[in-house]
Amino acid sequence: AGLGEFRIRDLNDEINKLLREKGHWEFRIKELGGPDYARIGPKMLDHEGKEVPGNRGYKYFGAAKDLPGVRELFEKEPLPPPRKTRAELMKAIDAEYYGYRDEDDGILEPLEQEHEKKVIAEAVEKWKMEREARLARGEEEEEEVNIYAVNDDESDEEGGREKEGEEGQQKFIAHVPVPSQQEIEEALVRRKKMELLQKYASETLMAQSEEAKTLLGL
């Protein structure tokens, strides 16, 4: 390490040059039918017994491994933290996650009540001011009308039927005729008969049926 950066780089380049020449001889020996030393030969190890590190075939020996810019080549990037599974994420979800315990601390509820009183007071004050302004302009205050109320003198000439509910409930009037359960069943039977006739009867039978209905006045 005391030789200096430039001398260390020159020596490391010289070693790599000799290694390339060694590789050429090994390739030539294999061409001539000799053993493949590149495959069966011993690996190059450093003084710690570890394989000599390299980058794109270029090896770094001794102090060359600690040169600026070289150490970063062989530093392994830290592994990303393992991602949690869905089951692990669900373990941390409880009622508080959905906001069901926001009022347990006793802070939020009084604030909401105070804000509610303030909003109601502002709405009442606004209504009073509008009412006074209408009275000042001479406008008569309209009486509130209950749209669900039923007048006693309302007749049944429109075909409405009064439906009485349980005790204490308001009464409603239907202003259109409401068929009974029996009438609904008869209409469904007639419709089913017509569908079967249209499906299975021929045109001649349909014509005869219509003629018979006409004669009978149906």
Side-chain angles (χ1 to χ4, degrees), residues 71-82:
R71 187 185 299 107
E72 289 78 3
L73 294 175
F74 308 107
E75 288 182 354
K76 294 183 179 180
E77 296 182 0
L79 296 176

Side-chain angles (χ1 to χ4, degrees), residues 2 13 18 22 29 39 48 58 62 67 74 81 95 101 107 111 116-117 142 150 164 167 181 192 195:
D13 291 341
L18 294 172
K22 176 175 175 287
I29 293 172
R39 184 173 62 85
E48 297 179 355
Y58 189 91
L67 292 174
F74 308 107
R101 297 178 181 174
I107 299 177
L111 294 176
E116 183 180 1
K117 292 178 181 179
E142 297 181 357
V150 179
E164 296 183 358
E167 185 178 359
Q181 182 68 23
K192 190 65 176 178
E195 290 178 354

Side-chain angles (χ1 to χ4, degrees), residues 7-156:
R7 180 58 179 161
I8 293 174
R9 289 186 184 275
D10 291 340
L11 290 174
N12 202 77
D13 291 341
E14 184 68 22
I15 295 173
N16 278 273
K17 182 179 178 181
L18 294 172
L19 288 175
R20 284 195 299 271
E21 185 177 354
K22 176 175 175 287
H24 294 326
W25 281 112
E26 290 174 347
F27 180 75
R28 181 58 179 163
I29 293 172
K30 182 180 177 182
E31 279 185 338
L32 296 174
D36 186 3
Y37 291 106
R39 184 173 62 85
I40 64 175
K43 296 182 179 180
M44 288 181 292
L45 304 177
D46 58 11
H47 64 282
E48 297 179 355
K50 298 179 181 179
E51 188 175 358
V52 177
N55 184 26
R56 296 182 180 179
Y58 189 91
K59 301 291 185 179
Y60 294 92
F61 300 90
K65 294 184 293 185
D66 297 327
L67 292 174
V70 177
R71 187 185 299 107
E72 289 78 3
L73 294 175
F74 308 107
E75 288 182 354
K76 294 183 179 180
E77 296 182 0
L79 296 176
R83 297 183 61 181
K84 293 184 178 180
T85 62
R86 183 179 295 273
E88 292 174 345
L89 293 174
M90 293 299 293
K91 289 180 180 179
I93 296 179
D94 52 9
E96 187 174 359
Y97 175 82
Y98 293 102
Y100 290 119
R101 297 178 181 174
D102 291 346
E103 300 177 356
D104 291 351
D105 54 3
I107 299 177
L108 183 61
E109 189 171 357
L111 294 176
E112 289 179 345
Q113 292 176 355
E114 182 179 354
H115 181 70
E116 183 180 1
K117 292 178 181 179
K118 181 180 178 181
V119 172
I120 293 175
E122 292 177 354
V124 171
E125 187 66 24
K126 181 180 179 181
W127 177 81
K128 288 181 179 179
M129 293 176 62
E130 292 177 353
R131 180 170 177 272
E132 292 175 358
R134 288 197 301 269
L135 293 176
R137 292 195 300 267
E139 298 179 1
E140 294 183 358
E141 193 171 359
E142 297 181 357
E143 295 182 357
E144 294 184 358
V145 180
N146 186 0
I147 62 175
Y148 298 106
V150 179
N151 298 328
D152 295 336
D153 57 348
E154 192 169 15
S155 63
D156 295 334

